[in-house]
Amino acid sequence: MSSERPDEEKPETRDVLRVQDLIHGGGGASPVQSPTRLGPTRFSEVAGDKILNTGSNCIGSVLSWINGDPNRNLKNPVKRAKRKRIRTAKTAAFVIVLVGFFIFVNWFMLSQLHEGRAWLRRGFSKKTNLKPKLNPDPNSSVKRVSVKVSANVQHKEKKKMGKPKKTYNGTYGRLLAYAAHALAEGQNKLEPKELWREPKDQALAWKPCADQRSWKPSDGKNGYLMVTANGGVNQQRVAVCNIVVVARMLNATLVVPKFMFSDVWTDASQFGDIYQVEHFIKYLSPDIRIVKKLPKELQSLDLEAIGSVVTDIDVMKEAKPGFYMKHILPLLLKNRVVHFFGFGNRLAFDPIPFELQRLRCRCNFHALNFVPKIQETGAILVRRLRDSGSHLAPVDPYLVGPKFASFILDKKAGPLHKASKYLAVHLRFEIDMVAHSLCYFGGGDAEKAELDAYREMHFPTLANLTKTKKMPSPDDLRTEGLCPLSPEEAVLMLAGLGFSRKTRVFIAGANIYGGNKRLEALTSLYPNLVTKENVLSQTELEPFKNFSSQLAVLDFIACAASDAFAMTDSGSQLSSLVSGYRIYYGAGKMPTIRPNKRRFSDILLKNNTIEWKVFEQRVRKTVRQTKHVLVRPTGRSVYRYPRCKECMCNED
């Protein structure tokens, strides 16, 4: 008789219970799920069901094999011990096989579940009409979908929904193709609201107040200042404002400025060809004394011989007021006249007395009015860009004068007629800018040779520097955000920001390097792209022919009056002056887009791998960070950042 207690669990019973516990998920260490938990779902397939059913049917026969014949003789203790060892070995082997089997089943079912979710994310059931059942029959023989067939469907679906049709060549060919596809797909979508408005209500609190004065007029008795300003029309504008401040500082009389002829701009226009001389003299009369020419007794002086010609070499960039008081005032008192030749950015923004800084703002925003022929043509240009309308922008009367501002309005348009919005883009990509940047724009050896030759002719100092010193590589310059945006990069920025394909885009900037071929990406993605040459007739442009500075003023007017303005190079004088003008007169309603080129270049470096949605998100974040309403930082331009106590008043 056996000595085992009736309530004691036999080894054979424990082995069977361990197997059953493993199968049914009870308390064991194995993470394998039981088949009952993996029961039919809407993603289950026939192959998995067959494997589970087969496994369940085999359990009984396996248990029988482990326990042996129930009628066997168990009285011989030797045989019983031997059989016990055999059963133990069989049990261990079975457990190992069973664990592996259920791991395989679990992997198979999870892979099918994952694939089913992928179908749902792609809208598989909507696109193919192969809608999975919510409660499929476990015994159905038509549940399995071929993996090969589903892969083909997925490939066709991806090709249909995500792949752009048109291809583009060049560095950004892939991104341009995705941009074109996104614009085509989103033609009926609304553009982000922030594209056409200032981002903060705080912008409304800043009002123009540079016209306020709190000093007596200067008699200019210390002598006469002459100035010949260099550069293009926008650099010359800055030079004029600077010399007005210097004249007040030295208590000197200013002779109406002259403009230097530049072999780059090839424009002989003088101050009176661009600005109203009489308004300039009269408006600033409470500040400084201005005359049209030197007195006769001083006209015969050889200024160079007496040392009264001061060049850019003699004056450091952004010289402080102390420099002029120490070096220029004694010369002025001695010779009665000083001629600044090639004068430009030669006066610091800080530190400078409050009233002198306000005078600089007053000159830029109030004293420099364009001549009537420019105002009239500018009004025609703006009117056509807006497709007429029933309202004026806040800057219009200051840009083109009250007389021609009224011409912008369509008197026949009713109150419900709305003017078309337009985006102005200053594409600073002329050959001088490209050559001076030392950057590379994908033109190969031909581009390198052409730009080297241009530098030799127009920038000899820079050309010599490239030969004698190791300069940063084009890649390093681009990484640091020191390269102007190419037309391809500019259009990617606009598309990434969300401007619609239907947007009317005005391009400012003459003689784009590379010509019309370089503009192909822009015109392809934004077919409503125009320039002043497209909008104005040949007859209307005739008075400005061969006068690049006067043509540049028309670009200035169109950019300053636009509903949104985007710059591609924040260091450009036109972009700086336009953005400041829009802040000063825009009443907080005229947004400017200025990309952080360093961050933007980091995004563009991933042009071969980045997904379009990610590209959009990163571009919008980068530009959003530059649209904050900020008080002018110390040392920065009042022309570009007029939100300061000297130029504008904050009513908050």
Side-chain angles (χ1 to χ4, degrees):
M1 178 178 289
S2 173
S3 62
E4 297 172 297
R5 295 173 55 185
D7 58 346
E8 186 177 1
E9 192 179 67
K10 298 181 181 179
E12 295 89 354
T13 306
R14 284 198 303 270
D15 291 338
V16 173
L17 291 176
R18 284 177 58 198
V19 173
Q20 291 176 340
D21 186 53
L22 182 66
I23 294 172
H24 294 291
S30 173
V32 181
Q33 288 182 305
S34 70
T36 56
R37 291 188 182 181
L38 285 177
T41 70
R42 55 178 175 168
F43 302 110
S44 62
E45 297 192 7
V46 66
D49 293 338
K50 287 182 179 180
I51 293 174
L52 292 177
N53 293 335
T54 303
S56 299
N57 294 335
C58 290
I59 292 175
S61 58
V62 171
L63 292 177
S64 176
W65 171 70
I66 292 174
N67 293 323
D69 185 359
N71 298 320
R72 65 189 182 279
N73 184 8
L74 299 177
K75 292 183 179 181
N76 190 328
V78 176
K79 290 183 179 182
R80 187 170 59 191
K82 183 177 180 181
R83 288 190 182 114
K84 182 178 180 180
R85 288 194 299 272
I86 293 174
R87 284 197 302 272
T88 302
K90 286 181 179 181
T91 300
F94 172 71
V95 169
I96 293 172
V97 173
L98 192 62
V99 169
F101 168 74
F102 279 106
I103 288 176
F104 169 76
V105 172
N106 193 45
W107 167 82
F108 181 83
M109 297 302 294
L110 288 176
S111 67
Q112 296 305 308
L113 178 63
H114 177 73
E115 185 174 350
R117 287 175 176 169
W119 288 348
L120 288 180
R121 284 196 300 268
R122 287 189 295 267
F124 178 81
S125 60
K126 294 181 180 179
K127 296 295 181 180
T128 62
N129 293 325
L130 296 178
K131 298 182 180 180
K133 297 180 181 179
L134 293 177
N135 296 297
D137 181 3
N139 299 319
S140 173
S141 60
V142 292
K143 289 182 292 183
R144 180 168 178 79
V145 180
S146 170
V147 175
K148 183 176 181 180
V149 172
S150 66
N152 291 335
V153 171
Q154 293 171 25
H155 176 73
K156 291 178 181 179
E157 193 66 23
K158 185 176 181 181
K159 184 175 181 181
K160 178 181 177 182
M161 297 179 63
K163 289 291 183 181
K165 296 179 181 179
K166 186 172 181 178
T167 58
Y168 291 82
N169 298 323
T171 306
Y172 303 111
R174 174 181 173 273
L175 272 181
L176 287 170
Y178 278 107
H181 180 72
L183 290 178
E185 289 288 315
Q187 288 193 61
N188 298 320
K189 292 182 180 179
L190 295 176
E191 295 170 320
K193 293 181 179 179
E194 64 269 17
L195 293 179
W196 301 101
R197 66 184 184 187
E198 288 271 23
K200 299 289 184 181
D201 292 337
Q202 295 94 310
L204 298 171
W206 290 92
K207 307 295 182 184
C209 60
D211 56 338
Q212 300 175 8
R213 297 175 173 91
S214 60
W215 58 14
K216 295 180 180 180
S218 168
D219 56 19
K221 65 180 182 180
N222 286 343
Y224 292 84
L225 292 184
M226 300 174 63
V227 62
T228 303
N230 64 358
V233 66
N234 298 294
Q235 290 88 341
Q236 291 165 348
R237 186 184 184 105
V238 170
V240 169
C241 295
N242 286 342
I243 201 64
V244 165
V245 175
V246 172
R248 174 74 193 205
M249 188 191 311
L250 302 179
N251 192 20
T253 297
L254 177 65
V255 180
V256 171
K258 292 184 177 180
F259 292 161
M260 181 186 295
F261 179 84
S262 169
D263 57 354
V264 175
W265 298 100
T266 62
D267 187 352
S269 296
Q270 286 302 315
F271 184 89
D273 297 319
I274 297 173
Y275 302 107
Q276 298 178 27
V277 175
E278 296 300 331
H279 174 78
F280 178 71
I281 295 173
K282 182 179 180 180
Y283 191 84
L284 292 177
S285 59
D287 303 303
I288 63 172
R289 181 170 177 256
I290 305 175
V291 297
K292 293 183 179 179
K293 56 184 179 181
L294 283 174
K296 289 184 179 180
E297 65 270 18
L298 298 178
Q299 291 179 8
S300 59
L301 289 177
D302 186 342
L303 298 181
E304 189 170 359
I306 63 175
S308 281
V309 176
V310 178
T311 68
D312 272 7
I313 298 175
D314 302 317
V315 184
M316 69 185 73
K317 285 187 176 181
E318 299 189 358
K320 293 178 172 60
F323 172 87
Y324 291 93
M325 301 302 293
K326 180 178 180 179
H327 299 285
I328 305 301
L329 182 58
L331 186 63
L332 179 66
L333 294 173
K334 176 184 176 182
N335 296 332
R336 296 288 298 157
V337 60
V338 170
H339 183 191
F340 289 95
F341 188 80
F343 191 73
N345 188 20
R346 290 299 187 266
L347 180 63
F349 289 104
D350 290 299
I352 191 170
F354 177 91
E355 287 296 339
L356 290 178
Q357 191 81 288
R358 174 163 284 189
L359 176 59
R360 179 147 54 180
C361 293
R362 184 155 57 245
C363 178
N364 180 55
F365 296 113
H366 294 274
L368 295 175
N369 287 355
F370 299 122
V371 295
K373 75 169 187 178
I374 291 178
Q375 289 182 334
E376 182 179 9
T377 307
I380 295 172
L381 178 59
V382 172
R383 175 188 173 96
R384 291 177 184 166
L385 286 170
R386 290 185 189 155
D387 194 22
S388 301
S390 58
H391 75 281
L392 289 175
V395 302
D396 291 350
Y398 305 99
L399 280 173
V400 300
K403 176 182 176 181
F404 297 110
S406 62
F407 181 73
I408 295 176
L409 292 174
D410 186 353
K411 297 179 181 179
K412 298 180 181 179
L416 297 179
H417 178 79
K418 293 185 178 180
S420 298
K421 291 181 178 180
Y422 76 94
L423 164 71
V425 180
H426 180 216
L427 197 59
R428 185 67 170 98
F429 203 69
E430 294 91 350
I431 189 171
D432 64 308
M433 182 68 171
V434 174
H436 197 274
S437 70
L438 297 179
C439 298
Y440 174 69
F441 297 95
D445 293 338
E447 176 188 301
K448 185 177 183 301
E450 183 179 10
L451 297 181
D452 285 345
Y454 189 91
R455 279 190 288 268
E456 290 284 349
M457 179 177 294
H458 299 285
F459 307 123
T461 303
L462 179 61
N464 292 332
L465 198 63
T466 59
K467 298 174 184 177
T468 57
K469 291 188 176 181
K470 184 178 180 181
M471 307 296 288
S473 69
D475 288 341
D476 291 338
L477 291 171
R478 179 163 277 103
T479 300
E480 290 299 315
L482 299 176
C483 296
L485 296 189
S486 68
E488 295 85 355
E489 292 168 336
V491 75
L492 285 173
M493 178 185 73
L494 299 181
L497 288 173
F499 281 103
S500 166
R501 178 177 170 81
K502 299 177 182 179
T503 301
R504 176 171 293 182
V505 180
F506 174 82
I507 295 294
N511 303 317
I512 300 300
Y513 179 63
N516 290 333
K517 185 176 181 181
R518 195 90 213 206
L519 291 174
E520 284 180 354
L522 258 173
T523 54
S524 174
L525 270 64
Y526 291 96
N528 290 332
L529 183 145
V530 295
T531 64
K532 56 184 176 294
E533 288 77 14
N534 304 135
V535 178
L536 299 172
S537 68
Q538 290 298 319
T539 303
E540 291 163 338
L541 286 170
E542 183 63 30
F544 309 100
K545 189 177 181 181
N546 300 323
F547 295 104
S548 60
S549 292
Q550 297 180 44
L551 289 171
V553 173
L554 295 178
D555 280 337
F556 179 95
I557 292 174
C559 290
S562 62
D563 296 277
F565 171 63
M567 61 178 72
T568 58
D569 181 53
S570 56
S572 160
Q573 285 287 8
L574 185 143
S575 292
S576 296
L577 291 172
V578 166
S579 61
Y581 209 89
R582 292 166 64 82
I583 290 173
Y584 191 80
Y585 285 121
K589 300 177 182 179
M590 307 193 77
T592 294
I593 298 165
R594 49 174 71 87
N596 183 318
K597 291 192 294 180
R598 179 183 295 179
R599 294 180 181 176
F600 191 46
S601 68
D602 180 61
I603 300 172
L604 291 173
L605 283 175
K606 302 174 178 62
N607 67 85
N608 290 325
T609 57
I610 192 169
E611 294 300 324
W612 181 250
K613 287 294 183 183
V614 178
F615 179 83
E616 284 182 319
Q617 292 168 0
R618 293 195 60 186
V619 168
R620 293 179 187 186
K621 180 180 179 181
T622 299
V623 172
R624 193 183 305 117
Q625 292 171 342
T626 67
K627 294 180 73 175
H628 299 304
V629 178
L630 300 175
V631 176
R632 179 182 71 90
T634 302
R636 303 302 295 272
S637 167
V638 293
Y639 312 120
R640 180 177 177 180
Y641 300 101
R643 288 191 183 107
C644 58
K645 60 183 181 180
E646 296 89 347
C647 295
M648 302 182 73
C649 300
N650 192 335
E651 296 182 354
D652 280 353

